[in-house]
Amino acid sequence: MFESLQASPADAILGLITEHRDDPRAEKIDLGVGVFRNADGETPILDVVKEAEQRLVDSQDSKAYISTAGNASFNAAIQSLAFADSVPDDRLMTLQTPGGSGSLRVAAGLILRATEKATIWVSEPTWNNHVPLLGGAGMTLKPYPYYDVVNHVIRFEAMLDSLHKVPKGDLVLFHACCHNPSGLDPSEEQWCEITDIVVERELVPFIDMAYQGFAVDLDTDAFAVRHMASAVPELIVSTSASKNFGLYRERTGALSFLVTDMSSRDILISQAGSYVRTLYSMPPDHGAAVVSSILLDAELRARWIVELYAMRDRLRDMRSLLHDALKLKAPGHDFSHLVRATGMFCFLGISKEQVERLKKDFGVYMVDSSRINVAGITPGNIEYLADSIAAVL
Ligand SMILES: Cc1ncc(COP(=O)(O)O)c(C=O)c1O
């Protein structure tokens, strides 16, 4: 049976990881893969996660199944982290999912149960995996303008024009903060303008919040979620604990729905349960148990916020470091967008050929679009990195 299969095309990021790993040059730099790294180039387990895991090992007395919706206290804590008190709890429901990716996929399946021909409008560009996760489930994806590759700003007017023409009832995918790949987010005023159009056109917003706490702070980063929630009848939010808790491999995420009333919420809960049963039955527990014990314990929560903001600050510092180094080494080139962006990603803004030369001649790895993960920058490699970029400009 399997001999009929063709090899699937290589994943660009996974391919880059292998190429970087096999590169013998000591000075090589990886700006491709999407994980946080500290100044030593490592992705350590947060101290507070270690502590919560230890407490869990000491106190957990069963590994019995939980439920299709996962850990109830995790769901409540994540829901409150995202929505705060922007809407009454009885209009919200949250289920734990295998990572943010699992959340997007479950959302797509449930949307398609509700409406057979669902169209979702996504920013151009958007996170590459949005396409297989949502499109692969059967949704139709259409682009709205977002990033100006020449001037490195949001194409806000073009975006609004485009949203004005989206047919009533269609979904629109937004990134709550740290837009991946551009790193540029609308301001609060702009989110208000976007929300007005969403309300006027009766669109259904779907907000992907994979980086809460990585841009400004936990509350500011949730502005779009909370503002839209207070204005629209229905909203979908996908969250991930991969980055802000560093729980990548534990596959910890959540999917929240804002609905109009309690009876639609109960129907959605039953539909979500039966749909999840057809996919993976129940989400993995460990990461969610860790997150809920951190969020529900005042001391652990405070320690988590300190560690989270230290990650945010390191990303900010590395952006400034690269910006300042390029100002010196590549005068005449404007890299100010590096410091206007937030989170892990932004575009360097160089050509595919220059990306290739960086890889071949200098061992500096990034995806073809020149999206970089600034977490790959360290005080130790900044000089070499800036020299290499200046050399290919
Ligand atoms: C925009 C966006 N959404 C969702 C995710 C999902 O992450 P995960 O499935 O690892 O939780 C990511 C991860 O890179 C992301 O960048």
Side-chain angles (χ1 to χ4, degrees):
M1 170 174 74
F2 296 115
E3 52 285 3
S4 65
L5 291 178
Q6 308 277 322
S8 135
D11 179 287
I13 304 252
L14 299 183
L16 213 59
I17 297 175
T18 318
E19 275 187 89
H20 175 264
R21 193 194 55 211
D22 297 343
D23 188 330
R25 287 171 283 192
E27 63 279 14
K28 65 187 175 181
I29 300 174
D30 177 8
L31 302 177
V33 64
V35 293
F36 176 81
R37 294 215 173 107
N38 65 17
D40 299 320
E42 285 154 5
T43 307
I45 301 172
L46 299 189
D47 289 343
V48 72
V49 165
K50 274 278 184 208
E51 166 85 31
E53 287 184 314
Q54 191 56 56
R55 290 189 192 181
L56 200 62
V57 168
D58 295 341
S59 65
Q60 199 171 49
D61 50 17
S62 174
K63 293 285 184 191
Y65 293 124
I66 298 190
S67 83
T68 50
N71 180 320
S73 57
F74 166 85
N75 291 340
I78 286 290
Q79 182 174 294
S80 144
L81 199 64
F83 290 88
D85 51 9
S86 54
V87 277
D89 278 349
D90 57 16
R91 283 186 55 208
L92 288 169
M93 78 92 148
T94 296
L95 70 145
Q96 185 202 325
T97 54
S101 302
S103 166
L104 288 155
R105 186 67 180 214
V106 172
L110 284 170
I111 291 163
L112 288 163
R113 278 193 173 188
T115 157
E116 243 174 67
K117 285 202 179 84
T119 298
I120 187 159
W121 295 75
V122 302
S123 63
E124 170 59 38
T126 192
W127 180 44
N128 280 346
N129 273 5
H130 280 145
V131 180
L133 284 168
L134 302 172
M139 296 184 81
T140 302
L141 271 67
K142 292 190 177 166
Y144 62 83
Y146 191 78
Y147 187 69
D148 177 339
V149 287
V150 176
N151 300 303
H152 304 295
V153 289
I154 297 180
R155 298 177 62 195
F156 190 64
E157 291 309 321
M159 172 183 177
L160 293 192
D161 274 358
S162 175
L163 292 182
H164 267 299
K165 294 178 195 128
V166 171
K168 178 178 158 185
D170 276 6
L171 294 108
V172 187
L173 184 71
F174 299 106
H175 300 219
C177 59
C178 306
H179 180 269
N180 181 4
S182 74
L184 296 183
D185 300 319
S187 65
E188 292 191 355
E189 292 69 37
Q190 289 175 328
W191 277 124
C192 294
E193 282 187 63
I194 294 168
T195 306
D196 289 346
I197 297 176
V198 163
V199 171
E200 186 195 310
R201 306 275 323 145
E202 297 178 36
L203 311 177
V204 182
F206 184 158
I207 308 185
D208 184 351
M209 183 155 64
Y211 300 92
Q212 190 180 5
F214 266 46
V216 181
D217 58 45
L218 285 164
D219 290 324
T220 310
D221 293 358
F223 179 83
V225 169
R226 295 174 192 175
H227 180 70
M228 282 200 189
S230 67
V232 299
E234 289 178 333
L235 169 77
I236 303 164
V237 177
S238 171
T239 47
S240 166
S242 298
K243 321 285 158 139
N244 55 8
F245 286 85
L247 283 167
Y248 310 89
R249 69 174 68 162
E250 299 296 352
R251 312 310 302 131
T252 311
L255 173 61
S256 301
F257 289 91
L258 170 74
V259 290
T260 44
D261 53 49
M262 275 165 79
S263 74
S264 0
R265 191 189 67 160
D266 293 343
I267 292 169
L268 201 52
I269 290 173
S270 77
Q271 282 289 340
S274 80
Y275 183 58
V276 160
R277 202 85 174 116
T278 69
L279 293 176
Y280 48 80
S281 194
M282 291 174 205
D285 178 60
H286 182 75
V290 166
V291 168
S292 77
S293 75
I294 293 172
L295 291 178
L296 297 177
D297 179 297
E299 186 233 329
L300 292 186
R301 187 184 178 107
R303 281 172 51 192
W304 167 62
I305 292 176
V306 170
E307 287 193 76
L308 169 63
Y309 291 170
M311 291 194 277
R312 171 203 64 190
D313 292 348
R314 189 180 120 63
L315 296 172
R316 247 187 224 167
D317 292 348
M318 292 307 104
R319 288 175 180 286
S320 300
L321 210 57
L322 181 58
H323 169 260
D324 295 352
L326 287 174
K327 208 169 173 183
L328 277 179
K329 293 177 195 280
H333 294 271
D334 179 12
F335 283 101
S336 58
H337 60 287
L338 293 180
V339 286
R340 286 201 308 274
T342 59
M344 297 208 295
F345 303 111
C346 63
F347 289 110
L348 195 52
I350 59 172
S351 69
K352 214 170 154 180
E353 292 68 37
Q354 289 168 322
V355 168
E356 193 53 36
R357 266 197 70 202
L358 274 174
K359 181 163 80 175
K360 204 163 130 280
D361 297 349
F362 299 96
V364 174
Y365 289 78
M366 66 189 69
V367 287
D368 284 353
S369 61
S370 89
R371 186 201 76 162
I372 57 168
N373 176 4
V374 295
I377 307 172
T378 69
N381 68 20
I382 185 67
E383 286 297 311
Y384 178 76
L385 175 61
D387 283 333
S388 309
I389 295 170
V392 303
L393 284 176

